[in-house]
Amino acid sequence: MFHRLDFSHERDLTIEDLVKRFQAYNPDKDVTMLRKAFLYAEKAHKGQMRSSGEEYIIHPMNVAGTLIKLRMDEESVISGFLHDVVEDCDITPEEIEEEFSPAIASIVVGLTKISKINFKTKEESQAENFRKMVVAMAQDLRVIIVKLADRMHNMRTLQYVSDVKQKKIAQETLDIYVPLASRLGINSVKGELEDLCLRFLKPEIYYRLAEKVAMKKSDRDGYIKDTLDVIKDKLLEYSLQAEIKGRPKHFYSIYKKM
């Protein structure tokens, strides 16, 4: 059975939550540097607020949380905490390298370069050029994965910016970042971003689909499991061996098929 990862915005996320989740798949890993990265980002972003009215540190914590859900390595998660400190705070790449490592500094610098690209995604050929530019700037593929986690959380909190900005960011995400997630095979991120783009680009369609697919995710998963069991029983009646899988479809996928 396919299980969708939950990338919801976590307003009350703590460093202890993140450490516990990281240790779930790295039980023998020393988490000293993770804690250090959180404290470093918290100090760097002190006094900064997001459009939602929340303290800015909530954003890098959610980015790090997404990377942990994707079971990324320690350097990626640390880069998630630090991804905005060079761009938004008075921090230099040399300081990141000295406090953490050259690899982490390189990832943060790559993310800063990508954030400075002025995306204009009106034509597909132009979007392809921007995708190539992003890949070229990201000498380490982890730069793109951290950027996808960053974009995921920004899309999750997009309702706090103007309608014009919502549509611009959503279109940019659909043109640039969804194809990158697809090419990297991160289907959970691809599907989530597509649904969020649909929500802001075509809200009337998104909410109409949401109304028609009113069943809770747990209920839909249960329905799929029951259906799989029926199919398995029927196949066994005819001595047929088969592997059967099922999953709830994303709204964007339903929209495209319609």
Side-chain angles (χ1 to χ4, degrees):
M1 173 75 73
F2 173 89
H3 291 286
R4 285 171 65 166
L5 292 174
D6 182 3
F7 293 116
S8 300
H9 170 57
E10 295 184 83
R11 190 182 300 270
D12 301 318
L13 192 59
T14 69
I15 182 58
E16 296 308 319
D17 294 330
L18 294 175
V19 165
K20 187 175 180 180
R21 294 175 193 178
F22 182 78
Q23 288 180 319
Y25 65 96
N26 286 292
D28 302 320
K29 189 78 173 174
D30 183 357
V31 294
T32 302
M33 293 302 283
L34 273 187
R35 294 183 188 278
K36 179 180 176 179
F38 162 70
L39 292 172
Y40 193 91
E42 185 180 45
K43 182 179 178 181
H45 290 297
K46 189 172 181 61
Q48 295 179 359
M49 307 296 284
R50 302 197 81 219
S51 300
S52 61
E54 295 171 323
E55 291 186 7
Y56 196 90
I57 188 62
I58 295 295
H59 171 61
M61 288 182 72
N62 272 267
V63 172
T66 293
L67 293 164
I68 290 170
K69 288 172 185 176
L70 293 171
R71 301 174 74 86
M72 292 298 293
D73 65 309
E74 182 187 40
E75 287 181 336
S76 299
V77 177
I78 288 174
S79 299
F81 280 122
L82 304 176
H83 74 277
D84 276 336
V85 298
V86 171
E87 183 180 2
D88 295 341
C89 309
D90 192 20
I91 305 291
T92 66
E94 290 74 24
E95 289 178 79
I96 300 293
E97 183 171 335
E98 184 178 340
E99 290 288 338
F100 297 93
S101 75
I104 291 169
S106 177
I107 294 172
V108 173
V109 168
L111 289 160
T112 303
K113 288 179 180 178
I114 290 171
S115 69
K116 291 181 178 178
I117 301 174
N118 184 23
F119 291 109
K120 296 177 182 177
T121 58
K122 291 181 180 177
E123 297 179 6
E124 181 58 33
S125 59
Q126 194 175 31
E128 177 62 23
N129 288 334
F130 280 121
R131 286 196 291 272
K132 288 177 181 176
M133 195 186 305
V134 169
V135 173
M137 285 184 170
Q139 296 176 352
D140 186 332
L141 271 180
R142 292 178 297 180
V143 173
I144 296 177
I145 296 172
V146 177
K147 183 62 186 177
L148 288 171
D150 173 39
R151 181 51 59 108
M152 173 87 74
H153 187 247
N154 282 331
M155 288 294 296
R156 272 280 175 199
T157 54
L158 201 58
Q159 66 270 29
Y160 297 107
V161 300
S162 68
D163 289 349
V164 172
K165 196 169 183 180
Q166 286 176 12
K167 286 186 164 44
K168 179 183 179 295
I169 293 173
Q171 191 63 55
E172 175 186 297
T173 301
L174 193 60
D175 290 346
I176 308 293
Y177 293 106
V178 166
L180 286 173
S182 178
R183 290 175 193 186
L184 288 173
I186 314 176
N187 291 324
S188 55
V189 171
K190 172 182 176 286
E192 186 81 5
L193 286 176
E194 284 178 332
D195 279 2
L196 289 166
C197 290
L198 184 65
R199 174 184 166 188
F200 291 104
L201 290 173
K202 297 184 181 294
E204 69 289 346
I205 292 174
Y206 176 87
Y207 288 109
R208 193 158 69 239
L209 281 172
E211 186 180 350
K212 291 182 182 297
V213 187
M215 213 183 286
K216 290 181 182 176
K217 179 185 175 297
S218 57
D219 293 335
R220 286 188 287 151
D221 284 340
Y223 177 81
I224 291 169
K225 183 182 182 303
D226 292 343
T227 303
L228 293 181
D229 290 341
V230 170
I231 294 170
K232 286 176 185 175
D233 290 342
K234 285 297 179 183
L235 289 172
L236 285 174
E237 284 182 24
Y238 294 93
S239 301
L240 294 173
Q241 296 294 322
E243 182 180 2
I244 309 163
K245 296 180 180 179
R247 61 182 176 84
K249 293 192 76 62
H250 287 273
F251 288 173
Y252 187 80
S253 181
I254 296 170
Y255 160 69
K256 282 203 301 184
K257 281 183 166 50
M258 289 171 64

